[in-house]
Amino acid sequence: MAVKGNIRLAAILQKRIGKIKEAGFIPNAEIGTYKNKGLVLDSFPDNIIGNDELVLCSTLKEKLAQSAGKSIRVLVVWADETPIIVDRVEAVDEF
């Protein structure tokens, strides 16, 4: 529950900053690491967002199942307070 509190506070602050700058709300994307227990964002490395608090794109479910419990670097997009794991990301030299 503490993670959701952090996420809600960050969303509120981000919306207010956008209004102050008159730029409006800008969708947020970030990088994180997905593990069996959930998602760890680079911006909040001490918190784990549980599997029950996030959404996976359907194309990613198979990739995560094949990972056999390994940590995977992922792209996360926010829809209001909900983190959505969009896809796996890799360094360019890994191709």
Side-chain angles (χ1 to χ4, degrees):
M1 286 299 191
V3 174
K4 272 195 169 184
N6 288 344
I7 293 167
R8 287 184 180 150
L9 176 60
I12 290 168
L13 292 174
Q14 188 173 28
K15 286 178 185 178
R16 288 187 180 174
I17 289 170
K19 287 179 183 177
I20 292 169
K21 292 181 179 180
E22 298 179 357
F25 179 74
I26 299 170
N28 190 13
E30 55 188 310
I31 302 294
T33 303
Y34 182 81
K35 302 177 183 179
N36 286 339
K37 294 180 181 178
L39 174 66
V40 177
L41 298 172
D42 289 0
S43 59
F44 292 103
D46 296 331
N47 295 318
I48 296 176
I49 300 173
N51 290 325
D52 60 335
E53 298 179 280
L54 56 88
V55 177
L56 295 174
C57 285
S58 59
T59 56
L60 188 59
K61 287 183 180 182
E62 186 177 320
K63 291 179 185 178
L64 294 176
Q66 293 173 353
S67 71
K70 295 179 184 175
S71 296
I72 298 174
R73 299 290 286 159
V74 293
L75 174 65
V76 180
V77 176
W78 289 90
D80 290 325
E81 301 170 4
T82 304
I84 303 170
I85 299 178
V86 178
D87 204 355
R88 179 180 180 168
V89 294
E90 298 175 352
V92 175
D93 60 1
E94 292 180 12
F95 286 100

